[in-house]
């Protein structure tokens, strides 16, 4: 089975809006608005990114897995949570 040709993913810039991720000849903006779990990450954690397969990225220090398709088209992958808010204390 043939593999896929990739260079290692590289974070090229970080701003208050997100970070730019270079994947071969494509550069993508990972916006904190779309991917909020990266907002408080350190530079070290953001730049430690692996690409185990053609459409899969993994940040081991953050335990975050993402499809590259979700970065290209975040509207197609809405964030959903099954966590419910805890009741306020004293109520």
């Amino acid at each position: 089975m043939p593999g896929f040709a990739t260079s290692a993913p590289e974070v090229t810039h970080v701003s208050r809006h997100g970070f730019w991720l270079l994947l071969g000849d494509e550069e993508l903006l990972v916006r904190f608005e779309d991917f909020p779990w990266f907002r408080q990450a350190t530079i070290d954690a953001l730049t430690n990114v692996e690409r185990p397969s053609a459409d899969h990225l993994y940040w081991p220090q953050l335990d975050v897995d993402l499809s590259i398709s979700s970065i290209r088209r975040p509207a197609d992958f809405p964030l959903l949570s099954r966590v419910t808010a805890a009741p306020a204390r004293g109520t």
Side-chain angles (χ1 to χ4, degrees), residues 3-54:
F4 61 96
T6 66
S7 55
E10 180 181 348
V11 173
T12 60
H13 180 75
V14 179
S15 78
R16 65 187 187 107
H17 303 289
F19 62 97
W20 288 93
L21 188 60
L22 183 63
L23 303 170
D25 61 355
E26 179 180 25
E27 195 166 30
L28 300 170
L29 174 62
V30 181
R31 294 173 1 126
F32 295 140
E33 181 177 317
D34 297 323
F35 303 97
W37 46 87
F38 291 114
R39 186 180 308 275
Q40 299 300 319
T42 64
I43 297 296
D44 186 54
L46 284 179
T47 59
N48 183 12
V49 56
E50 302 169 0
R51 189 174 187 179
S53 66

Side-chain angles (χ1 to χ4, degrees), residues 35 37-38 55-59 64-68 70-71:
F35 303 97
W37 46 87
F38 291 114
D55 189 51
H56 178 209
L57 296 172
Y58 178 60
W59 284 262
V64 172
D65 288 274
L66 281 181
S67 162
I68 295 170
S70 71
I71 299 171

